[in-house]
């Protein structure tokens, strides 16, 4: 097992990463609290029994989102949970356990942050992508069509990342999660990208996967620790790939992780055309970008204009001077259109 201690002004908390480490959840529980597990139908189907066993002798109450928890990250579901919490008589000593991917974590965290002005909150992430979402304290709900528009910062008291749960993830969720892992690798030293290891091999190699996830969380921590509240300091660099990636995700049929990898190719292309092209080819070898695609600048611009990452008349992209050396590039609409056209012709041809 590996451990990282996250230090914030809201308090410090450990992130524990390993296989079959779930029993550590009992280190933080006491018999006085009621426990509310927030999960979704998929996670519940595969893993709730395991959680039950690990929590014994503690009993808990469950609130279960659907098998598309992203669609449940809404005020409507939040109100349903409030009704449930009041009926159950939960008081401010309640302990909320988020048991699921990023959607469950964001939803449960938002509830924990706001119910009775804040109750105990623990994260038990179950997706690859949640190595990112479970650390850093951002919690949120969607107000369709805008994602994460209602939110807050609320740090968990423990993140228990038991990698045994990853084995039931569907292929596209694995691929999407690796997208964020690759992003963190580029923001660190590029060792994963340089190794060119096959991603299936990595997924099946417990030691190596644990190590890369540990490194990725450590990298995220290094970027957030001086900028916990995301005041356009270091934390903005975690948006590598996300400006264009967000637009691609909204318009084209791509997972978040794949879209941000394509966005990353564009961001690196802005710094060095060959580097952008090289990475595009490597990501293709890794099984991404199977569908031929030409990016449509008009529809992308419309989405990017509404993105909170951008300023009034400037779009902000995060690129790299080298591995681990991010910087921001600002483009106006014409510059963006011209460079996207070039990217289409040189990289996505
Ligand atoms: N708070 C943050 O800092 C932050 C950062 C990145 C992303 N996010 C949020 O995270 C969400 C995306 O996270 P995600 O990719 O984990 O998505 P998700 O929570 O929607 O999970 C993806 C799918 O996998 C299923 N699933 C989860 N665990 C499983 C398991 N072990 N086995 C089988 N199926 C499983 C879920 O039911 C769901 O269908 C988005 O809502 C995004 O906004 C938040
Ligand atoms: Zn992301």
């Amino acid at each position: 097992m590996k451990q990282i201690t996250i230090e914030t002004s809201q308090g410090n908390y450990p992130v524990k990463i390993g296989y079959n480490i779930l029993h550590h959840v009992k280190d933080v529980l006491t018999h006085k609290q009621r426990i509310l597990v927030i999960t979704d139908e998929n996670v519940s189907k595969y893993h709730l029994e395991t959680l039950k066993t690990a929590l014994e002798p503690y009993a808990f109450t469950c609130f279960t989102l659907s098998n598309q928890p992203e669609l449940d990250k809404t005020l409507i579901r939040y109100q349903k949970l409030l009704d449930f919490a009041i009926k159950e008589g939960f008081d401010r000593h309640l302990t909320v356990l988020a048991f699921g991917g990023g959607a469950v974590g964001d939803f449960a965290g938002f509830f924990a942050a706001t119910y009775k002005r804040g109750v105990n909150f623990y994260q038990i992430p179950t997706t690859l992508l949640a190595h990112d979402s479970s650390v850093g304290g951002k919690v949120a709900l969607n107000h369709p069509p805008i994602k994460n528009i209602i939110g807050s910062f609320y740090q968990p008291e423990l993140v228990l990342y038991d990698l045994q749960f990853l084995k039931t993830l569907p292929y596209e969720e694995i691929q999407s999660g690796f997208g964020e892992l690759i992003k963190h690798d580029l923001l660190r030293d590029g060792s994963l990208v340089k190794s060119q290891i096959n991603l299936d091999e990595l997924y099946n190699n417990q030691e190596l996967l644990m190590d890369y996830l540990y490194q990725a969380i450590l990298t995220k921590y290094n970027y957030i620790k001086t900028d916990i509240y995301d005041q356009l300091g270091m934390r903005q660099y975690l948006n590598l790939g996300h400006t264009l990636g967000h637009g691609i995700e909204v318009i084209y049929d791509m997972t978040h992780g794949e879209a941000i990898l394509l966005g990353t190719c564009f961001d690196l292309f802005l710094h060095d055309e060959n580097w952008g092209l090289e990475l595009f080819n490597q990501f293709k070898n890794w099984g991404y970008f199977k569908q031929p695609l030409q990016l449509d600048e008009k529809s992308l611009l419309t989405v990017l204009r509404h993105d909170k990452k951008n300023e009034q008349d400037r779009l902000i992209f995060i690129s790299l001077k080298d591995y681990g050396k991010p910087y921001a590039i600002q483009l106006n609409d014409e510059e963006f259109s011209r460079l996207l056209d070039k990217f289409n012709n040189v990289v996505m041809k």
Side-chain angles (χ1 to χ4, degrees), residues 57 67 77 86 142 158 167 172-173 186 205 323 340:
N67 58 10
R77 260 336 246 185
I86 293 165
N142 303 328
L158 167 72
K167 63 178 183 283
E172 68 170 22
E173 299 302 336
L186 291 167
N205 183 329
Y323 297 114
L340 189 73

Side-chain angles (χ1 to χ4, degrees), residues 137-162:
K138 283 190 176 177
V139 298
L141 301 180
N142 303 328
H143 188 67
I146 318 260
K147 280 187 63 168
N148 299 327
I149 192 172
I150 313 161
S152 186
F153 290 91
Y154 197 65
Q155 306 293 338
E157 286 167 62
L158 167 72
V159 179
L160 195 53
Y161 197 12
D162 191 328

Side-chain angles (χ1 to χ4, degrees), residues 129 132 179-180 183-184 238-242 249 256-257 260:
L129 190 137
D132 181 13
E180 294 283 1
K183 178 198 82 176
H184 286 126
L238 294 169
N239 288 330
L240 176 65
H242 279 66
E249 187 183 357
H256 179 73
I260 64 136

Side-chain angles (χ1 to χ4, degrees), residues 84-151:
F84 179 73
I86 293 165
K87 198 165 114 241
E88 286 284 328
F90 294 142
D91 64 18
R92 64 193 176 84
H93 303 294
L94 177 70
T95 286
V96 172
L97 290 186
F99 186 43
V104 164
D106 280 10
F107 177 84
F110 186 81
F111 175 75
T114 47
Y115 187 65
K116 308 238 171 186
R117 293 201 187 83
V119 295
N120 305 314
F121 177 44
Y122 303 102
Q123 290 257 25
I124 307 177
T126 62
T127 62
L128 261 185
L129 190 137
H131 82 269
D132 181 13
S133 58
S134 61
V135 176
K138 283 190 176 177
V139 298
L141 301 180
N142 303 328
H143 188 67
I146 318 260
K147 280 187 63 168
N148 299 327
I149 192 172
I150 313 161

Side-chain angles (χ1 to χ4, degrees), residues 138 153 227-236 239:
K138 283 190 176 177
F153 290 91
D227 186 23
I228 287 290
Y229 294 105
D230 203 359
Q231 301 295 314
L232 278 186
M234 283 295 280
R235 198 163 182 156
Q236 70 167 325
N239 288 330

Side-chain angles (χ1 to χ4, degrees), residues 264-280 318-323 327 329 339 342-343 346-347:
T264 302
C265 295
F266 178 72
D267 290 346
L268 297 194
F269 183 83
L270 295 178
H271 179 75
D272 173 349
E273 294 185 8
N274 288 331
W275 199 12
L277 178 60
E278 227 172 78
L279 271 187
F280 179 81
I318 303 301
S319 189
L320 297 177
K321 292 186 178 133
D322 198 350
Y323 297 114
Y327 70 108
I329 297 178
L339 289 160
K342 205 168 179 195
F343 183 71
V346 176
V347 176

